[in-house]
Amino acid sequence: MSFELYNQAESKDDGFENIVKLMQDLYIGLAEKHLPEESSLRKRIIEYYSDTSRLQEELSAVFKDVTQKEAAKRIQEVASKFEDQTFFIEHYQKIFERTDTFARNRQRAQENPIASQEEYDAGAYKEGLETQVSDAMFALRRNGYQTFESGFREDNTRDQYVGMYNKKVILPDSLRAQLKNKNFAITLIPHSDRTIINIHPLSSEPVSLEVWKAIWDEFSASMPKAEQEDLSVAQTYSYHNDFRQRQDVLKKLDK
């Protein structure tokens, strides 16, 4: 949004409808600016913000009791932040992938609720993992790694990670070199009860989910077999325990 549009918004008194229109123009304009015409992400963002009725419902709470001037100021702040193409693209990839993962997981639970043995051991359906990491995480588990979280980070807009209960984890130098050649840095962060492995893009260019999937698949294929260690006392997330308990009930009912 230009400062001309910001000033225009301040001078108008058209109420909430004008705020919604400004938001639509902003996000649709950013999608057209930052993404090529054939991009599925561009089409999805435009479709999302073209739904006026849904957007009005969402924004009614956000802008409740907010003056037109304050609303315009907030929109200008968002516009400034999203001028960064990489931030804009990766932000919406993350938002939509998480939304899709939730929908896939719910559909799986409704249509085919009995988990495979691998899913039971993982404490989650494969559909409940983000698409860029799902294949890699199950490959790691088959190699002895007890993963419990993976994918987009909450505290970082660009990095992705995997957490595992294994503590004797080694990253091969060859893997570090492979990823560095592809403009990614990998870091191992040890904790007393777990290991976190973080992957960080070195390029300022946006990283697509397809590229992330290739990186994660390469990572899982390049990791050595996990070292033997007693992980029976590892404290597991309640989500995974609840998943297994539900599966136990479903399997009894299915007999």
Side-chain angles (χ1 to χ4, degrees):
M1 180 193 289
S2 67
F3 280 97
E4 290 77 11
L5 184 55
Y6 168 68
N7 292 330
Q8 178 186 25
E10 284 192 298
S11 64
K12 285 189 175 183
D13 191 23
D14 298 337
F16 181 64
E17 290 76 13
N18 185 53
I19 293 173
V20 173
K21 181 64 166 60
L22 288 171
M23 292 291 281
Q24 288 180 307
D25 290 346
L26 169 62
Y27 286 104
I28 291 173
L30 287 168
E32 293 173 342
K33 175 182 178 180
H34 289 323
L35 291 156
E37 192 169 349
E38 67 275 11
S39 165
S40 60
L41 181 61
R42 167 179 161 146
K43 294 173 183 175
R44 188 164 182 179
I45 294 171
I46 291 175
E47 180 180 328
Y48 186 86
Y49 284 99
S50 294
D51 187 342
T52 303
S53 297
R54 182 199 52 72
L55 194 59
Q56 285 177 335
E57 184 176 347
E58 287 186 4
L59 295 180
S60 61
V62 176
F63 289 101
K64 183 180 180 181
D65 300 326
V66 174
T67 65
Q68 187 83 352
K69 181 176 181 179
E70 177 61 27
K73 181 180 178 182
R74 290 189 190 181
I75 295 171
Q76 180 65 58
E77 289 171 352
V78 172
S80 299
K81 181 170 65 174
F82 282 138
E83 276 299 308
D84 184 323
Q85 180 189 41
T86 294
F87 181 80
F88 178 78
I89 292 174
E90 294 184 346
H91 172 80
Y92 274 99
Q93 280 187 152
K94 179 177 180 178
I95 294 295
F96 287 135
E97 176 56 30
R98 287 189 163 177
T99 300
D100 292 346
T101 299
F102 178 82
R104 286 193 304 268
N105 192 58
R106 182 174 56 185
Q107 183 176 4
R108 168 66 192 278
Q110 292 172 345
E111 297 179 355
N112 183 21
I114 303 296
S116 67
Q117 186 60 50
E118 280 191 324
E119 291 172 326
Y120 183 90
D121 293 340
Y125 295 124
K126 188 174 182 181
E127 290 84 352
L129 278 65
E130 294 162 10
T131 52
Q132 76 277 9
V133 296
S134 59
D135 288 338
M137 293 308 107
F138 279 91
L140 286 170
R141 296 188 66 85
R142 287 191 290 270
N143 217 10
Y145 296 97
Q146 290 196 18
T147 61
F148 62 89
E149 59 184 354
S150 59
F152 291 107
R153 295 193 68 98
E154 293 289 349
D155 58 352
N156 189 295
T157 58
R158 303 211 67 203
D159 294 5
Q160 296 201 17
Y161 76 119
V162 55
M164 54 185 66
Y165 293 119
N166 310 70
K167 295 179 283 294
K168 299 178 181 179
V169 181
I170 297 174
L171 292 179
D173 290 339
S174 57
L175 173 58
R176 294 180 186 273
Q178 286 169 223
L179 295 190
K180 186 175 182 180
N181 286 337
K182 296 182 178 180
N183 278 324
F184 289 86
I186 185 167
T187 305
L188 188 150
I189 308 167
H191 295 273
S192 61
D193 61 342
R194 64 191 63 194
T195 299
I196 304 297
I197 295 174
N198 192 76
I199 302 181
H200 171 72
L202 296 174
S203 170
S204 61
E205 295 298 312
V207 182
S208 69
L209 289 181
E210 291 76 18
V211 169
W212 270 118
K213 175 169 171 47
I215 291 296
W216 279 114
D217 288 348
E218 182 173 348
F219 164 75
S220 64
S222 302
M223 286 292 287
K225 188 174 181 63
E227 292 192 30
Q228 291 292 320
E229 54 182 311
D230 182 11
L231 301 176
S232 61
V233 295
Q235 184 176 356
T236 58
Y237 278 115
S238 59
Y239 173 87
H240 300 135
N241 290 330
D242 292 344
F243 178 88
R244 296 186 190 99
Q245 290 173 5
R246 289 195 301 272
Q247 287 298 314
D248 292 339
V249 173
L250 287 171
K251 288 176 181 177
K252 287 180 181 179
L253 295 173
D254 195 48
K255 288 182 179 180

